[in-house]
Amino acid sequence: METGTSVSNNSGSIRNDSYEAIKNGSWFNQFRNGCNPWMARYVYGLIFLIANLLAWAARDYGRGALRKVTKFKNCKGGENCLGTDGVLRVSLGCFLFYFVMFLSTLGTSKTHSSRDRWHSGWWFAKLILWPALTIIPFLLPSSIIHLYGEIAHFGAGVFLLIQLISVISFIQWLNECYQSQKDAERCRVYVMLLATTSYTVCIVGVILMYIWYAPDSSCLLNIFFITWTLFLIQLMTSIALHPKVNAGYLTPALMGLYVVFICWCAIRSEPVGESCNRKAAASNRTDWLTIISFVVALLAMVIATFSTGIDSQCFQFKKDENDQEEEEEDGVPYGYGFFHFVFATGAMYFAMLLIGWNTHHPMKKWTIDVGWTSTWVRVVNEWLAVCVYIWMLVAPLILKSRRQPTSGT
């Protein structure tokens, strides 16, 4: 009995050692050692990229093929409806695949378990499951697809919220890393340099947006967007530097970069023909710059989904050191269920980008996230990012004041 137990323990330790070697190895080593969770996340990211390309092809070049399908013959929106329906059907198939993976891997906590092997392996079965789930939506009636399109608005919003929290958590983690370094004086110089550079880029970005997107005083909406962004940067900096908060210069500077970028994306999403948008994302001609911008935006969205999916720690409560040590021995490297949930909502998000968040909005070739609905989604996302950041700054103070006993007791 003791011999059997020792053998099982030895085999378990060998498996853990091999996993540790793969984890600490190079990117090539993770693929060379076959099925493991580090290799699997890249494969899922590749599947997600292929789904994005299929949705884009269905929108821009699939109208001729979709027109032959009987389900589309009575499409009231003509070719644009066919393109929108094609995007939503590919998105639905991608969502179903990752949602099935989410349900089947939710709660996985130990490596070498059956659900860990299902997440990291069984690729032959998944190569059958994924195409099947991609084809099934093309056999469904348009009413179901339109219902999915409405639900996808909510799912895409959930994805943006998760991504937002992940970005803010990364900024705070970066600030804590700088503050915890041994060489405090040297790190302080790096922090000041990075913060100064970030604020400089913010100011230059705001000035350029005024020049490009607010050429005269009649562009009131763009002036409001840009001016309000400048005010939000000042607000975040003032709260972060308050003596009771004392969050330093770095986090508000990096958040300033983030909100300026979102504001720029929002104004660029305004439709073509607007006199205030001289550099609109949509263009009457398709040139190499438009194509490069589309490809970069598509790859950025896939990378953002991938990086958010493996960042499940910022959504977990802090645990005791003893429990954390036990989990690190044979615990999963990242939350599998959360990983697939992010990709499932990301499938809804890329559908909204490709159709401009509007199922009745025509999209031109090589464009992404263009339209007034896209603009306002970006603007609200910017404001929400500031609210979440400010709350993460003041929440500890509020909770601390509530925990303190009142003077009367």
Side-chain angles (χ1 to χ4, degrees):
M1 194 70 178
E2 293 179 356
T3 304
T5 304
S6 62
V7 170
S8 62
N9 291 334
N10 290 333
S11 61
S13 62
I14 292 174
R15 288 196 300 267
N16 289 334
D17 292 340
S18 63
Y19 255 41
E20 191 68 23
I22 296 173
K23 177 182 178 181
N24 297 326
S26 63
W27 183 80
F28 174 77
N29 190 43
Q30 293 176 357
F31 276 88
R32 186 172 59 85
N33 285 276
C35 298
N36 60 78
W38 297 275
M39 180 272 292
R41 60 186 183 181
Y42 294 107
V43 178
Y44 289 119
L46 179 62
I47 292 174
F48 189 75
L49 175 61
I50 295 174
N52 278 259
L53 295 175
L54 287 175
W56 158 72
R59 188 198 69 177
D60 288 359
Y61 299 100
R63 293 186 177 96
L66 294 176
R67 207 178 283 116
K68 298 179 181 179
V69 182
T70 57
K71 300 289 184 182
F72 295 96
K73 286 185 176 179
N74 296 324
C75 183
K76 297 179 181 180
E79 292 186 355
N80 290 324
C81 181
L82 290 172
T84 299
D85 271 21
V87 171
L88 291 177
R89 289 172 192 270
V90 174
S91 171
L92 177 57
C94 183
F95 167 78
L96 290 175
F97 173 75
Y98 285 106
F99 193 71
V100 168
M101 294 302 303
F102 162 71
L103 294 178
S104 58
T105 59
L106 181 64
T108 306
S109 58
K110 303 292 183 181
T111 55
H112 311 295
S113 62
S114 58
R115 286 186 292 179
D116 172 67
R117 289 190 292 270
W118 164 244
H119 169 80
S120 306
W122 291 82
W123 295 113
F124 182 77
K126 292 170 187 174
L127 288 177
I128 298 176
L129 177 65
W130 172 47
L133 293 177
T134 303
I135 295 172
I136 289 176
F138 284 89
L139 305 178
L140 299 176
S142 297
S143 58
I144 297 179
I145 301 302
H146 293 160
L147 177 62
Y148 168 76
E150 297 300 325
I151 298 175
H153 286 83
F154 173 75
V158 172
F159 173 82
L160 286 175
L161 181 61
I162 294 174
Q163 185 186 51
L164 185 153
I165 296 175
S166 178
V167 169
I168 296 176
S169 298
F170 171 76
I171 291 174
Q172 290 190 333
W173 170 83
L174 185 64
N175 185 53
E176 291 175 358
C177 285
Y178 274 113
Q179 291 179 351
S180 62
Q181 294 295 329
K182 296 180 180 179
D183 194 353
E185 287 295 330
R186 190 175 181 181
C187 289
R188 189 175 298 129
V189 174
Y190 291 149
V191 168
M192 290 300 298
L193 181 61
L194 181 57
T196 303
T197 304
S198 299
Y199 278 120
T200 303
V201 174
C202 289
I203 295 173
V204 172
V206 169
I207 293 173
L208 291 177
M209 284 193 292
Y210 274 122
I211 296 173
W212 289 342
Y213 305 120
D216 53 62
S217 58
S218 62
C219 303
L220 295 178
L221 186 60
N222 287 354
I223 293 174
F224 168 71
F225 289 158
I226 301 169
T227 306
W228 188 252
T229 299
L230 191 60
F231 168 76
L232 293 177
I233 296 174
Q234 177 63 39
L235 178 64
M236 290 187 296
T237 304
S238 301
I239 296 177
L241 296 180
H242 192 276
K244 291 185 178 180
V245 178
N246 195 21
Y249 288 95
L250 185 59
T251 57
L254 295 177
M255 279 299 300
L257 280 178
Y258 184 56
V259 297
V260 167
F261 173 74
I262 297 177
C263 181
W264 175 75
C265 292
I267 299 178
R268 274 186 59 87
S269 296
E270 293 176 0
V272 68
E274 298 297 324
S275 60
C276 297
N277 193 352
R278 296 178 178 178
K279 293 182 175 290
S283 176
N284 289 326
R285 69 182 190 281
T286 301
D287 53 8
W288 64 270
L289 185 60
T290 303
I291 296 175
I292 291 177
S293 300
F294 174 84
V295 173
V296 170
L298 190 66
L299 292 176
M301 196 271 295
V302 174
I303 294 172
T305 306
F306 177 84
S307 59
T308 305
I310 61 177
D311 186 23
S312 59
Q313 294 181 353
C314 62
F315 296 89
Q316 296 177 351
F317 295 102
K318 293 184 178 180
K319 299 179 180 180
D320 297 335
E321 294 182 359
N322 296 331
D323 296 338
Q324 192 171 0
E325 290 178 359
E326 292 179 0
E327 288 190 358
E328 287 180 355
E329 291 180 359
D330 58 349
V332 294
Y334 54 91
Y336 298 161
F338 178 82
F339 177 83
H340 292 294
F341 178 77
V342 170
F343 273 84
T345 56
M348 296 180 172
Y349 178 64
F350 80 68
M352 294 297 102
L353 293 185
L354 290 174
I355 67 175
W357 293 81
N358 190 347
T359 55
H360 305 289
H361 175 70
M363 295 285 288
K364 296 182 179 180
K365 288 184 178 181
W366 298 104
T367 57
I368 186 170
D369 200 22
V370 176
W372 281 116
T373 307
S374 299
T375 298
W376 281 105
V377 168
R378 294 285 188 181
V379 169
V380 173
N381 186 34
E382 176 193 348
W383 299 346
L384 184 60
V386 175
C387 292
V388 172
Y389 172 72
I390 292 176
W391 169 250
M392 293 179 75
L393 290 179
V394 302
L397 299 178
I398 296 176
L399 295 177
K400 184 178 179 179
S401 63
R402 289 183 177 180
R403 290 173 182 174
Q404 290 178 352
T406 58
S407 58
T409 57

